[in-house]
RNA sequence: GCGUUUGUAGCUCAACGGAUAGAGCAUCUGACUACGGAUCAGAAGGUUGGGGGUUCGAGUCCCUCCAAGCGCACCA
């Protein structure tokens, strides 16, 4: 008996009551919200359906709840139904009905928790997309962790997900990058508007060492171009490698430059011109984005004939749509949130539906803290902390978990020194330890002859067992919500709760008999529960891209 | 000034409009000669930034004020 089963049962009961004429005609909900009461004394599950629907039927919530409760208590597997407060219906399951779940989870294995909400949806998720003018810093690292986890969550709901990285290898920032490399290679100071980090020196040296011709003797513009091409390639390689080491592999690395080389930009502008959204003024070519809610029109081609940044976005979006993506999701940092209205306008200008075909997730910044004070990070000044730095200090699992466990709507403070000193304050270990424990318990059980031969769910009657079972049953809903709200951190929070429930159960209920004792049905049945917890922890950690070790 | 995100325990953060606002870390007190103590039990810690409103019910939705971050280019 899962929450989904209960929800379905309640919908059936309401329909039956309607058929009998006990209730008036009113639209039925597709599903009823079933939740865990915070207070255990309120039973295993609770629903507020009576308070929400009573009005529709012209009844007061208590009366409606009484009617429902009477029928509900006849359902197989339900031990007790109580009505509390203004009309909460509290449901207590029989131990056997609740315990069945343990076996079902073990038998589902890695499939437990998956759903079909996004089945058949071809979805493009773009994240990180950091400029190739330096290594990936903390902000990009956060999106890597969250974005990849979100992709996994989408996939768990049946979506066909393409992870995409937009590689900005075109434009003025890249020119500054190239000039900085050239200057460093010559032993000069970085240009005023250039980049000054130590990595610039490294890359400049590598370009010099790996290029056959003597770049420095070339004319200025040729030398700069040589550094641009080689420098971007090197950065691109490093970024890919860092991401790979972080467990994030993109399906598509899309090079902005290719949009210009292929004529895609001109094509996109032509398309918009045909649709009547392009005009010329002051020698520039504009997109009339105000038609679609933007607060000003946007220059697409500047009066000097150069493309503005948005030109690439137009072409890029069109390209994604033509590659067949129904949904294009962009994850951007808070420093780009002002960009949302023009992106939505762009989407609408192509005749698409903003918010559906194009969706933008804005994530807040990561602050680097030192001694409780924020440290200013500046790529140009070279005071960045990179993805590699973070991984070196805390490891991939802890880093990904720490970044993925909080909502992207709030700023995140990361104190490297603190993480360095006591990695224990990262809850990932609590969760991983719980998983390792399930594995060790299973191992001990095997060696003592405890096996999953028989299963009597009515033996799972301890308070910690009903708590654990109820918690385990929530995984499918948590994953579905994480996908719906685009909030993978829900999975992390959930998995912490599962770990807590498991540890408490472990403390109270033994899977193996104490030394010399006989193996009984209760031990074999508990092994099912132990293994079910292992499955849920493993599946949850998998969605976060964090390993589930068998020993630590 | 306009827009946007945020404000919850000492710190970092949770909480589909639900019941007594929860975890971890830090602090204090306890627990196995029993499957790994990276654990468990307990204590302490809160006017959910302030003030209004909506309703059976608000940390959550609306208005307003305060504070902070981030934006507001023919930059990318």
């Amino acid at each position: 008996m899962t929450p989904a089963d209960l929800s379905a049962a309640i919908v059936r009961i309401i329909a039956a009551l309607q058929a009998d004429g006990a209730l008036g005609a009113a639209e039925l909900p597709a599903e009823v919200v079933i939740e865990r009461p915070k207070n255990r004394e309120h039973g295993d599950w609770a629903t507020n359906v009576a308070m929400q629907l009573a009005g529709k039927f012209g009844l007061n919530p208590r009366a409606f709840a009484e009617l429902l409760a009477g029928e509900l208590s006849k359902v197989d597997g339900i031990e007790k139904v109580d009505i509390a407060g203004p009309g909460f219906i509290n449901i207590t399951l029989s131990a056997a009905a609740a315990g069945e779940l343990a076996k079902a989870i073990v038998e589902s294995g890695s499939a437990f928790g998956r759903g079909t909400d996004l089945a058949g949806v071809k979805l493009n998720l773009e994240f990180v997309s950091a400029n190739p003018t330096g290594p990936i810093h903390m902000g990009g690292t956060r999106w890597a962790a969250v974005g990849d986890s979100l992709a996994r969550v989408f996939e768990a709901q049946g979506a066909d997900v393409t992870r995409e990285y937009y590689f900005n290898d075109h434009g003025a920032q890249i020119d500054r990058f190239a000039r900085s490399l050239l200057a460093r290679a010559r032993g000069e100071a970085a240009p005023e508007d250039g980049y000054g980090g130590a990595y610039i020196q490294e890359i400049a040296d590598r370009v010099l060492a790996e290029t056959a011709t003597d770049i420095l003797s070339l004319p200025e513009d040729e030398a700069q171009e040589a550094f641009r091409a080689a420098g971007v390639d090197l950065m691109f390689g490093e970024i890919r490698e860092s991401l790979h080491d972080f467990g994030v592999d993109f399906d598509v690395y899309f090079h902005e430059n290719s949009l210009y080389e292929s004529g895609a930009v001109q094509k996109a502008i032509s398309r918009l011109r045909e649709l009547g959204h392009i005009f010329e003024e002051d020698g520039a070519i504009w997109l009339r984005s105000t038609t679609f809610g933007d607060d000003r029109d946007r220059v697409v081609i500047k009066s000097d004939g150069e493309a503005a940044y948005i030109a690439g976005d137009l072409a890029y979006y069109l390209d994604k749509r033509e590659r067949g993506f129904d949904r294009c999701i962009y994850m951007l940092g808070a420093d780009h949130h002002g960009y949302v209205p023009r992106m939505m306008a762009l989407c609408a200008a192509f005749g698409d539906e903003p918010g559906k075909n194009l969706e933008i997730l804005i994530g807040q910044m990561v602050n680097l803290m030192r001694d409780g004070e924020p440290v200013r990070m500046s790529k140009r000044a070279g005071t960045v902390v990179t993805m590699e730095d973070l991984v070196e200090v805390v490891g991939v699992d802890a880093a990904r978990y720490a970044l993925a466990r909080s909502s992207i709507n709030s700023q995140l403070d990361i104190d490297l020194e603190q993480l360095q000193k006591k990695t224990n304050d990262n809850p990932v270990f609590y969760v991983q330890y719980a998983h390792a424990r399930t594995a060790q318990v299973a191992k001990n059980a095997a060696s003592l002859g405890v096996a999953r031969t028989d299963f009597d769910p009515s033996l799972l009657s301890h308070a910690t067992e009903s708590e654990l079972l109820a918690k385990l049953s929530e995984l499918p809903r948590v994953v579905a919500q994480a996908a719906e709200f685009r909030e993978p951190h829900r999975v992390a929070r959930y998995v912490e709760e599962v770990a807590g429930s498991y540890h408490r159960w472990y403390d109270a209920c033994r899977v193996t008999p104490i030394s010399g004792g006989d193996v009984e049905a209760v031990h074999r049945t508990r092994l099912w529960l132990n293994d079910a917890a292992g499955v849920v922890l493993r599946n949850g950690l998998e969605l976060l891209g964090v390993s589930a070790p068998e020993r630590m």
Side-chain angles (χ1 to χ4, degrees), chain A residues 266-279 349-350:
Chain A
Q266 280 312 315
K267 185 175 131 190
I269 294 172
S270 304
R271 174 79 64 88
L272 290 170
R273 196 188 301 275
E274 288 163 21
L275 291 166
H277 305 314
I278 294 287
F279 67 99
F350 279 118

Side-chain angles (χ1 to χ4, degrees), chain A residues 134-199:
Chain A
I136 296 190
H137 51 69
M138 290 303 300
T141 309
R142 185 179 193 182
W143 310 138
V146 175
D148 185 59
S149 179
L150 183 56
R152 288 164 188 252
V153 165
F154 285 148
E155 284 167 345
Q157 286 299 321
D160 174 6
V161 180
T162 294
R163 293 166 174 78
E164 190 147 329
Y165 188 123
Y166 187 49
F167 203 71
N168 301 116
D169 54 354
H170 181 95
Q173 281 198 31
I174 292 297
D175 292 341
R176 282 201 287 271
F177 174 61
R179 285 200 302 276
S180 304
L181 290 175
L182 179 56
R184 275 308 180 86
R186 288 172 171 161
E188 298 165 3
E192 187 102 343
D193 58 354
Y195 299 92
Y199 68 94

Side-chain angles (χ1 to χ4, degrees), chain A residues 354-408:
Chain A
K356 180 163 176 284
N357 300 112
L358 172 63
E359 187 177 335
I360 297 181
L361 306 178
I362 297 296
Q364 301 301 312
M365 303 305 218
V366 178
N367 290 322
L368 192 67
M369 307 295 284
R370 184 161 295 154
D371 300 328
E373 293 295 316
V375 181
R376 278 279 153 211
M377 282 197 281
S378 160
K379 213 182 248 189
R380 292 190 187 176
T383 57
V384 288
V385 170
T386 65
M387 175 182 272
E388 288 178 339
D389 294 337
L390 181 66
V391 168
E392 194 183 320
V393 173
V394 300
V396 172
D397 281 345
R400 286 191 64 149
Y401 194 90
L403 293 169
R405 80 184 282 264
S406 30
S407 161
I408 60 168

